[in-house]
Amino acid sequence: FGGNPVACAAALAALEVMLEEDLVGRASRIGTAFGERLRALAVRHPLVREVRGLGLMWGLELDRPARPLADACRERGLLVNATAERVLRFLPPLVVGEDEMERAVAILDGVLAEEREAVGGTAGTC
């Protein structure tokens, strides 16, 4: 609420890193690739109803509650939120790399495949 020299110096340093490393541009590129991979997962996994997002903020709307899948992702090292009961929300930091994004997609693919198998290979609801 009130500025001080230390807080201002930290803010300026953060802005310099964002500009020097083109974090916004990189987030746009990785976010586009992430969205493409999420759409490919939606084609393979019918329990995904919709893929929506922009930049690095993405959501998968599911045909069932998202919390168990978010928990399964977390157990495998992928932090996601379950929001609006049926949405998995992905919100990685601006510094996320392509390798990390690919690992996230692989974890999510495995969790979605396990969920499909758990309900007998159908897109039925829980």
Side-chain angles (χ1 to χ4, degrees):
F1 295 102
N4 65 64
V6 173
C8 290
L12 287 173
L15 288 172
E16 284 179 27
V17 169
M18 289 179 68
L19 291 171
E20 288 172 5
E21 296 185 19
D22 188 29
L23 293 183
V24 174
R26 184 167 71 179
S28 178
R29 288 187 301 277
I30 291 175
T32 298
F34 189 48
E36 290 170 2
R37 284 167 184 74
L38 291 177
R39 287 185 191 95
L41 288 180
V43 170
R44 289 199 318 271
H45 300 287
L47 62 102
V48 178
R49 285 187 175 167
E50 182 182 8
V51 177
R52 55 183 177 252
L54 182 65
L56 284 174
M57 180 189 269
W58 287 90
L60 293 183
E61 183 179 344
L62 308 175
D63 68 357
R64 63 198 70 206
R67 174 68 52 208
L69 281 81
D71 292 342
C73 286
R74 227 175 283 115
E75 289 170 5
R76 290 162 179 82
L78 176 59
L79 295 176
V80 299
N81 288 339
T83 62
E85 188 176 339
R86 295 179 179 256
V87 176
L88 288 176
R89 181 178 64 187
F90 304 88
L91 191 57
L94 290 176
V95 295
V96 69
E98 290 181 32
D99 291 343
E100 293 161 316
M101 184 263 302
E102 292 295 345
R103 182 167 179 250
V105 170
I107 291 169
L108 180 61
D109 189 24
V111 167
L112 293 172
E114 287 175 14
E115 179 69 13
R116 184 178 61 212
E117 290 173 14
V119 294
T122 66
T125 59
C126 293

